[in-house]
Amino acid sequence: MITNKEFQELLENTSFRTWVFEKNAQDDAYWTSWVAEDISRKELVERASAFLLSIQGKSVDLEEQYIDLQIQKAIQNAKKEEKTIVEEIEITEVIPLWKRYWAVAASVIVLLGASWFVLNKDASKQEFALYQQQVLEAKVSNELVEVINEGEQSKLVQLPDGSSIVLQKNSRLSYKKAFDADKREVYLVGEAFFEVAKNPERPFFVYANELVTKVLGTSFTIKAFGKDKDIRVIVKTGRVSVFTQTDNNATQLKNNRELTGMVLTANQQAIYQRQEIRLVKAIVDNPVILTLPIENQKFEFVATPISEVFGILEKSYGVDIVYDEEVMSKCSITAKLGDEPLFEKLKWICSITEASYEVSDGQIIITGKPCK
C-alpha cells in the first residue's frame, strides 16, 4: 500500500523529477535498480511518474490561467534577480539562463500540483532524501560506513586514509571502508570540519547536497543543512575547488588532476544560494561564521607544556585525551602545526616526546615517559 509520505518524498526528489522528464540512461539504471530492490516500489514509481507528467501537460484540475500567471511571475522574478548588481563578489552561473527560467517555471507547476495533494515541502526531508540517494548509489559496488551524530557535542571521525573529520550535531557522514585507488569520496548531510591528508594522486571529494567539494589535502568546513537557505564551504588552509552536481562541466571538473572551477584559498568561502541557483565566492569577514574552536586555532607552540598542548587539542577537536600528568609534567614542545589531520599531529607530538597513543572507547590514550 502506497502511503502519502512515500508519495510526497518521491515527488520532492529532484533526481526522480529529472528522470521522469528527461529519461537519461544514467538515471534509468539507478531507478531501475531502486525498484528492483523492492517490487512494491513499482506502483509508487508509476503513480508518481504519471502525476508529474500530467502536471507538465497541464491536465491537473487547476485554473490554467492561474498557473500561467504564476509561471510568468516566477520567470520575471528570475530575470530581475539576474540584473541585480553584486559588488565585490565573484559569481559563477550554475546553469544557462534559459534552463534556469524553465527550472523556476517547472518548480512552480510541481508545487502547485503538490499543493493539490496537500503536500507540505520540508527542506530537511529534501536534504536527507538527496543524501540517501547519493549513499545508495555508492553502495551499489561498495560497503559504506555511516556515522550519525545525534548528541549535543561534536564527534571526531578518523577516515581510512588518516584524514580527520569533526562532525557536528544533527549531521551524518558516510564513507567507504577502503577508498578507491584513484579517489577518496565521502557523503555529508549537516556540518563538519575536514582535515584532509595530503595525496595529490587521490583527490578527496565531499558530496553535500547540491555541492561537490574537491581537495588534494587541506582543512575546511562545510555547512549543508536542509533548513538553511545557503550551503557554505569555508576554507581554513590550502586550496579547495567547489562546483555544483548539476554543473555542465561537473565530470570534467571531477576528473581534472588540477583544482579547477571555483577555487578557494584560505579565508575564502563559497556560498550556494539555493533560491537564486547560483554559486558565490566571497571573503570570510564575519567571525560568527567560524563557530568551531578548531577553525580559529593555529596550533603554534613555543616551549608549551604538554598539558596545555593536549588541552588545546581536546577543546579544538572535542575529544578526551588521557595521559599521566605526573609522568609527563616536564614535557613541552615547540612546533607550528598546520592542517594535518589530528592523528598526524599526535604522531608528531608523540615522536618528539617518546610517547605513543591509541584510541579506545572514544578516548585518546597517551602512554609516555618522563621528559628530562
Side-chain angles (χ1 to χ4, degrees), residues 13-173:
N13 189 308
T14 304
S15 175
F16 178 73
R17 294 202 301 268
T18 301
W19 173 63
V20 170
F21 293 134
E22 298 182 7
K23 290 291 184 183
N24 61 67
Q26 183 177 359
D27 286 339
D28 259 336
Y30 169 75
W31 288 106
T32 299
S33 173
W34 187 75
V35 172
E37 290 179 358
D38 186 349
I39 195 63
S40 65
R41 293 173 176 171
K42 182 178 180 182
E43 183 182 2
L44 173 63
V45 168
E46 290 176 348
R47 288 192 181 184
S49 299
F51 173 68
L52 289 174
L53 291 173
S54 70
I55 293 176
Q56 189 184 37
K58 300 181 183 178
S59 60
V60 175
D61 188 16
L62 293 174
E63 190 68 39
E64 289 191 27
Q65 291 181 347
Y66 174 72
I67 294 177
D68 291 338
L69 177 61
Q70 295 306 312
I71 293 174
Q72 289 303 316
K73 285 182 178 180
I75 292 177
Q76 289 173 6
N77 289 335
K79 289 181 177 179
K80 288 180 182 178
E81 286 289 330
E82 192 61 35
K83 294 180 181 179
T84 301
I85 299 177
V86 182
E87 298 181 353
E88 298 181 355
I89 59 176
E90 175 184 335
I91 298 178
T92 299
E93 296 298 335
V94 176
I95 54 177
L97 295 182
W98 67 270
K99 286 188 176 181
R100 179 184 302 175
Y101 298 153
W102 165 245
V104 174
S107 66
V108 171
I109 298 175
V110 171
L111 286 176
L112 288 172
S115 65
W116 184 252
F117 277 82
V118 198
L119 301 178
N120 297 317
K121 287 185 68 62
D122 184 336
S124 62
K125 288 182 180 178
Q126 278 191 311
E127 164 198 48
F128 186 59
L130 180 54
Y131 167 79
Q132 282 184 311
Q133 174 192 334
Q134 293 169 339
V135 169
L136 184 59
E137 290 173 346
K139 278 184 177 179
V140 172
S141 58
N142 296 279
E143 186 175 358
L144 299 185
V145 176
E146 183 176 57
V147 180
I148 304 173
N149 188 1
E150 297 177 328
E152 291 299 317
Q153 303 299 320
S154 57
K155 179 177 289 189
L156 179 66
V157 182
Q158 182 180 15
L159 298 184
D161 66 332
S163 297
S164 300
I165 297 176
V166 180
L167 190 65
Q168 291 299 84
K169 66 178 183 179
N170 301 322
S171 302
R172 293 171 178 253
L173 178 81

Side-chain angles (χ1 to χ4, degrees), residues 160-221:
D161 66 332
S163 297
S164 300
I165 297 176
V166 180
L167 190 65
Q168 291 299 84
K169 66 178 183 179
N170 301 322
S171 302
R172 293 171 178 253
L173 178 81
S174 289
Y175 59 92
K176 298 177 182 178
K177 282 189 173 181
F179 287 132
D180 295 339
D182 59 342
K183 62 181 180 296
R184 298 166 286 172
E185 296 177 308
V186 302
Y187 307 87
L188 170 72
V189 58
E191 178 181 356
F193 176 79
F194 294 78
E195 283 183 326
V196 178
K198 292 180 174 61
N199 189 340
E201 302 302 318
R202 299 171 73 193
F204 189 99
F205 295 93
V206 183
Y207 300 92
N209 295 328
E210 296 96 321
L211 286 191
V212 180
T213 301
K214 176 183 177 181
V215 303
L216 304 180
T218 184
S219 58
F220 57 96
T221 291

